[in-house]
Amino acid sequence: MNRLQLRQLAEDRILDAERLLTGGRWAGAYYLAGYAVECGLKACIMVHVEATGAIFQDKKFSEKCWIHDLKDLLALANLKPALDADAAANPALYANWAVAEEWKETSRYEQKTQPEAQRMYDAIANHPNGVLAWIRIRW
């Protein structure tokens, strides 16, 4: 999978989350909203690899990318300092990242309520302070 495919997957998943949310399918909406962030961060990792040759600096770098933890993916994309700085200057982004980082791969096995799904979706899809909007600038 390449960077453009990951970007498209992120865009598709956030649209899917929106449709599920409006259709009352809370658990699926919650999961796919978070998955959109995962895909977006993986696209950012590809940017980082292309810019720095990170895979040649650490032979296990690509192996480390086979994860789903958003905080770890943020670090692998070398975006944690940028997020820290931007979130310090933007309380809405800070709050939205705090919600988004609660997502985990295993949430696909959990039932979610409408407020939980709406909160996750809003934190990720909000313009201009949502997590996905922040990622789009960097992918």
Side-chain angles (χ1 to χ4, degrees):
M1 181 152 290
N2 65 38
R3 181 169 61 98
L4 294 176
Q5 291 169 319
L6 286 163
R7 287 171 57 171
Q8 186 61 55
L9 197 55
E11 297 292 359
D12 290 346
R13 290 303 140 305
I14 200 63
L15 290 174
D16 293 343
E18 179 185 25
R19 300 307 185 279
L20 288 169
L21 190 60
T22 59
R25 305 296 297 169
W26 321 129
Y30 182 99
Y31 176 74
L32 288 180
Y35 188 58
V37 174
E38 177 182 334
C39 294
L41 287 173
K42 287 183 175 181
C44 291
I45 290 170
M46 298 296 287
V47 171
H48 174 64
V49 166
E50 291 168 9
T52 66
I55 59 172
F56 298 108
Q57 298 166 15
D58 176 358
K59 66 182 180 178
K60 295 194 181 244
F61 184 85
S62 58
E63 193 176 301
K64 292 175 187 176
C65 296
W66 287 90
I67 59 168
H68 308 282
D69 183 274
L70 301 183
K71 290 177 276 190
D72 290 345
L73 291 170
L74 183 74
L76 287 166
N78 198 32
L79 290 176
K80 185 169 179 354
L83 179 62
D84 289 346
D86 292 346
N90 182 344
L93 176 62
Y94 178 84
N96 286 333
W97 174 255
V99 171
E101 73 179 351
E102 294 172 5
W103 181 86
K104 54 190 178 300
E105 174 194 16
T106 57
S107 65
R108 65 184 171 205
Y109 303 115
E110 301 169 358
Q111 291 300 321
K112 297 294 180 181
T113 64
Q114 188 276 335
E116 290 172 317
Q118 188 70 56
R119 181 174 174 252
M120 181 62 69
Y121 176 81
D122 290 345
I124 293 167
N126 177 276
H127 291 284
N129 300 309
V131 173
L132 198 53
W134 184 85
I135 289 171
R136 283 182 185 116
I137 297 167
R138 290 152 180 84
W139 70 15

